[in-house]
Amino acid sequence: MTLLITNIKELLQVRDHHITIVKGDDMKVLPILKNAYLLIEHDTIVEFGHMDNCKDIEANEVIDATGKIVLPAWCDSHTHLVYAGDRTQEFVDRINGLSYEDIANRGGGILNSAEQLQNTSEDELYKQASKRLTEVIKLGTGAIEIKSGYGLTVEAELKMLRVVKQLKHEFPIIVKSTLLAAHAIPKEFKDNKKGFIDLVVNEMIPAVAKEHLAEYIDVFCEKGYFDLEDTARVLEAGKAHRLIPKIHVNQFNAFGGVALGVDYNALSVDHLEELNPEDILALQKSETMPVALPSCSYFLSIPYTPGREIIDAGLPLALATDYNPGSTPSGNMNFVVSTACIKMKLTPEEAINAATINGAYAMGISKLYGSICRGKKANLIITKAIPSYYHLPYAFGDNFIDTVIINGQKF
Ligand code: NIG
Ligand code: FE
């Protein structure tokens, strides 16, 4: 089966050489081929070039992309897409003056979602999650990471990750799974945090590893949640079960979590709304991807990750949604890219690099995803006719997507 896309106005993120990450000043470069064609065989990109060289190419199906832009599908490396119900009441409570912290302190927040999830069957949870996943793929997401962390008991964490496993089987896109058992301290452990960490380390991690339900281990390293010592214990136990760290750090407070993540060879450190010079230094000596989640800053009205500072320090940066019921009830990567440009002062080129190739890196899949290269998987967005790729971030409220192609097939 071959698919040929012709008359592409601009083919973005097109590279003759395979790349797996872009850093610093290189992020300003987004290679583009104008008036291009792209040839796909089964699920793989096999050729691309100028339309002048397309004349003799035959294919089973042809898509005429006159006036349209083609780019790699978004790679969303940080979500909590499996959850039960919603937290709309807390949203209204925040409008009326309570803070995210106030809500958590009165037993809401993550614990509210945990209670709802514990009372929801695996089938119902799958139904809700698959609806969300279908929607985000239609919005251009071609690879996604999904975390547990609203279970907070052995049984409910396994239930969440089994739902993720089912999504992996039923959907054509790559789904990566992360055990985020240390997401909040359950009510029963209110005065016994050590007891909960013991449960995570001695029961949850081994149970999840036994069923091969996760590739990554995450911790909410934050004041009032899990400190450096707790985080180290969980990452150590994860490492013993071959789980790679991808952690929540510096959302509200910076106290050394980034350096700790780097010490444990974290694939990514995510949030970073609060960042100090030591964090930058730690990242400069690492292979760890910093990940910004601008929709979370937007929704909670908290500072934006200093993406400009991160890139100007020569570092890479990835963008992800953080899709979850409490801090970011949106899985829209188009909005993330726009918001990164508008609020974090990333250029469109930097934001698109961050949401494609660097997002793929933060999921360990950038050898096969995140750029238009021969041999890479054909996960693509074909836009509607738009004047230029600047319109992607510029027209921030529009849906510019015409077609999403996953593994060489229209979704
Ligand atoms: O990444 N910060 C921790 N976890 C999620 C939100 C959790 C929630 O409020 O449900 C986040 O923002
Ligand atoms: Fe998150």
Side-chain angles (χ1 to χ4, degrees), residues 163-267:
V163 168
V164 179
K165 185 176 177 181
Q166 203 185 338
L167 294 170
K168 284 187 200 206
H169 284 146
E170 303 295 329
F171 280 79
I173 74 165
I174 286 273
V175 177
K176 292 282 181 178
S177 52
T178 302
L179 172 64
L180 172 56
H183 195 196
I185 299 151
K187 278 192 210 96
E188 312 79 79
F189 289 91
K190 197 168 156 274
D191 301 312
N192 179 20
K193 188 177 64 169
K194 185 180 169 297
F196 182 61
I197 305 275
D198 287 343
L199 181 74
V200 171
V201 165
N202 299 328
E203 295 190 39
M204 289 190 194
I205 292 176
V208 166
K210 192 167 163 225
E211 283 191 44
H212 303 289
L213 287 173
E215 287 124 298
Y216 302 119
I217 181 93
D218 197 343
V219 179
F220 188 16
C221 181
E222 185 56 59
K223 276 192 188 154
Y225 293 83
F226 300 97
D227 61 23
L228 294 179
E229 198 186 321
D230 305 328
T231 305
R233 259 197 88 196
V234 173
L235 297 188
E236 197 65 51
K239 201 167 118 187
H241 287 89
R242 296 169 174 274
L243 300 176
I244 299 164
K246 266 176 79 64
I247 60 173
H248 284 72
V249 279
N250 293 36
Q251 183 175 3
F252 301 105
N253 297 281
F255 53 87
V258 172
L260 182 77
V262 165
D263 280 348
Y264 278 91
N265 288 324
L267 181 58

Side-chain angles (χ1 to χ4, degrees), residues 15-75:
R15 313 250 179 184
D16 278 322
H17 299 290
H18 271 240
I19 50 154
T20 54
I21 189 168
V22 277
K23 303 179 182 182
D25 280 347
D26 289 345
M27 288 191 69
K28 292 186 172 53
V29 181
L30 184 71
I32 295 168
L33 206 57
K34 293 193 180 211
N35 194 19
Y37 75 88
L38 179 74
L39 181 64
I40 297 162
E41 219 173 275
H42 303 294
D43 61 353
T44 304
I45 296 166
V46 291
E47 199 45 272
F48 51 77
H50 194 271
M51 275 309 287
D52 289 350
N53 302 320
C54 178
K55 295 190 180 63
D56 301 327
I57 298 176
E58 284 180 14
N60 301 105
E61 192 185 343
V62 178
I63 297 178
D64 180 357
T66 299
K68 300 175 178 180
I69 287 167
V70 174
L71 68 155
W74 305 126
C75 297

Side-chain angles (χ1 to χ4, degrees), residues 346-380:
L346 265 60
T347 64
E349 294 79 11
E350 287 171 330
I352 293 171
N353 274 318
T356 56
I357 190 67
N358 284 356
Y361 180 95
M363 289 186 272
I365 56 168
S366 58
K367 287 202 172 101
L368 280 179
Y369 296 87
S371 61
I372 309 279
C373 291
R374 296 174 189 91
K376 279 200 173 182
K377 296 287 180 198
N379 277 13
L380 309 165

Side-chain angles (χ1 to χ4, degrees), residues 78-80 145 147 150 180 183 218 220 248 251 270-271 293 296 321-324 327-328:
H78 181 140
T79 85
H80 310 245
E145 180 261 14
K147 300 171 195 298
Y150 292 125
L180 172 56
H183 195 196
D218 197 343
F220 188 16
H248 284 72
Q251 183 175 3
D270 302 26
H271 273 288
L293 310 162
C296 173
T321 61
D322 199 17
Y323 195 0
N324 76 74
S327 74
T328 323

